[in-house]
Amino acid sequence: MASEHGQYCDDPDNSEAIPQWLPLRLRVLQTSILHKNLSLAVLDAYEETQFGRDLALTGSDTPRIRLKEMPVSKLHATVFWDKTRREWAAVDMGSKHGTFLQSARQPDTEPLRLSPPRMASIPRPLHHLDRLIIGSTTFLCHIHEDRTPCAECTSVGQGVIPLFAVPKESNHAAEKRPPEVTHAQEARDAKKALTSLRRTLLARLDPHHQHPSTSTQPPASYIDRSARRRAMHPSSQFDSPGVQSSRSSSPGPAQPSREHSQTPSSAAIEGPLPDNNVGRRLLMKQGWQPGTSLGSATDDGLVEPIEVHPTPHRAGVGMARQGAIAALSSRSGR
């Protein structure tokens, strides 16, 4: 009989409890979305069943077989008992990829699509051993006139496809207890960490409060390493532009003077380039002759090289100009 929980009971003595429709059971022949242990859908207690990708609405009494894959629409198809014709029928609810039906009377023919894409179909009758194809799942219909299930569609309490959403609270309640204990422990640890952090911040704001762990340690003081270095090397002085450094007088291995290494020799500027000079040889190959200018076809360029006047004692580029300006200003002041 059809009870409040949707269970079907075969009670021949109680004729009023027997539904007016024939029992329908769907055997899974092929699927890529359902679990391998789910192989039978028992629809005996319901005169209408839906197929879709989403769960049924909350509070709905209509069972739904959920096929969670993209080729299946949210509400894909419906099978129901036609009271007028007294037979089971299938209707496509306007799905995009379609619902297919293969008749058992013509097993060699191709499955028939019930309707074009996104269009609802007219009811199509279902017969015993017809194949209903939705997405990647193929169901084999079992409709027995004598209301007695066969060996293939007999339910043994296992492998039955759920028709309603199972509440999460009642699903493996014993397995959820350890995570609850773990969450409680984590909450207590978080409270302890927050309390410790608050105490630390308050101790930093209070100047009269000393933490027990830091009361025995002396306060950290700034170490002037520059003063220590000057005390160890009293002869060293700060480098300043235009002032000769006294580092040469400090003890240590003699180093070549930077002034002599960076100042070009006057002989190299005034004298001509030797014949084995690489730059001279490259210029000669490009057509240059000694005594002629560079880069000008009219011989209006510079023949003599630009003289370089290095600044002594690491002075900047404008040191000589500043000295001349200072001399002029002192003369004008007189």
Side-chain angles (χ1 to χ4, degrees):
M1 65 177 177
S3 62
E4 296 179 357
H5 300 286
Q7 300 295 332
Y8 180 81
C9 178
D10 243 350
D11 189 1
D13 298 333
N14 189 2
S15 59
E16 296 180 357
I18 300 177
Q20 300 299 321
W21 56 86
L22 296 176
L24 171 63
R25 299 190 178 189
L26 302 178
R27 190 77 181 178
V28 179
L29 296 182
Q30 182 181 358
T31 183
S32 63
I33 191 63
L34 293 175
H35 195 272
K36 60 181 180 180
N37 295 332
L38 302 178
S39 58
L40 182 65
V42 181
L43 311 179
D44 300 349
Y46 309 97
E47 57 180 343
E48 180 183 354
T49 303
Q50 299 175 350
F51 299 83
R53 185 176 71 243
D54 291 352
L55 294 171
L57 298 177
T58 305
S60 176
D61 297 332
T62 305
R64 177 179 295 190
I65 298 177
R66 188 184 186 190
L67 304 174
K68 193 176 179 182
E69 58 179 343
M70 292 308 298
V72 180
S73 301
K74 296 180 179 180
L75 179 57
H76 195 99
T78 302
V79 294
F80 69 99
W81 173 256
D82 192 345
K83 298 180 181 179
T84 304
R85 298 177 178 272
R86 297 190 60 80
E87 63 181 5
W88 285 97
V91 178
D92 188 281
M93 304 301 292
S95 64
K96 179 180 179 180
H97 298 280
T99 304
F100 298 85
L101 182 63
Q102 186 176 17
S103 175
R105 301 174 183 179
Q106 299 176 351
D108 298 335
T109 58
E110 293 292 331
L112 175 65
R113 182 166 182 165
L114 302 187
S115 64
R118 302 188 183 280
M119 290 183 60
S121 69
I122 61 175
R124 299 283 183 174
L126 292 177
H127 301 93
H128 183 58
L129 299 182
D130 284 354
R131 296 190 177 190
L132 183 65
I133 305 173
I134 300 175
S136 63
T137 306
T138 302
F139 297 98
L140 182 64
C141 302
H142 282 257
I143 306 174
H144 299 281
E145 298 289 341
D146 57 354
R147 297 178 177 272
T148 303
C150 62
E152 295 183 359
C153 64
T154 301
S155 175
V156 295
Q158 297 179 357
V160 179
I161 301 174
L163 304 179
F164 295 93
V166 180
K168 295 183 179 180
E169 292 78 7
S170 60
N171 187 16
H172 304 290
E175 297 180 359
K176 290 188 177 182
R177 290 179 183 176
E180 292 177 359
V181 175
T182 304
H183 293 325
Q185 292 178 355
E186 291 180 356
R188 287 195 297 269
D189 295 341
K191 290 182 179 179
K192 290 181 180 179
L194 184 60
T195 303
S196 177
L197 178 61
R198 184 171 63 252
R199 291 178 180 176
T200 303
L201 294 178
L202 291 176
R204 291 180 181 178
L205 296 176
D206 188 4
H208 302 287
H209 178 77
Q210 285 189 350
H211 198 273
S213 60
T214 59
S215 59
T216 58
Q217 297 180 1
S221 59
Y222 175 72
I223 300 176
D224 191 353
R225 290 187 171 83
S226 298
R228 182 183 299 179
R229 184 170 56 253
R230 287 193 297 270
M232 294 177 61
H233 306 281
S235 60
S236 61
Q237 298 180 1
F238 294 102
D239 294 335
S240 57
V243 179
Q244 185 176 2
S245 177
S246 60
R247 292 184 179 180
S248 58
S249 60
S250 60
Q255 297 181 359
S257 176
R258 184 180 297 180
E259 178 182 351
H260 295 287
S261 61
Q262 294 182 353
T263 304
S265 61
S266 58
I269 297 176
E270 295 177 357
L273 297 176
D275 296 340
N276 58 352
N277 186 272
V278 178
R280 178 187 176 92
R281 294 170 61 184
L282 290 176
L283 292 174
M284 293 287 289
K285 289 182 179 180
Q286 294 178 1
W288 175 79
Q289 297 296 330
T292 60
S293 61
L294 293 176
S296 178
T298 59
D299 294 338
D300 295 336
L302 294 177
V303 179
E304 297 295 332
I306 299 175
E307 297 183 3
V308 179
H309 300 283
T311 56
H313 309 302
R314 303 177 62 186
V317 177
M319 287 297 296
R321 184 178 179 183
Q322 290 180 1
I325 294 174
L328 291 176
S329 60
S330 62
R331 293 177 183 177
S332 61
R334 295 177 182 177

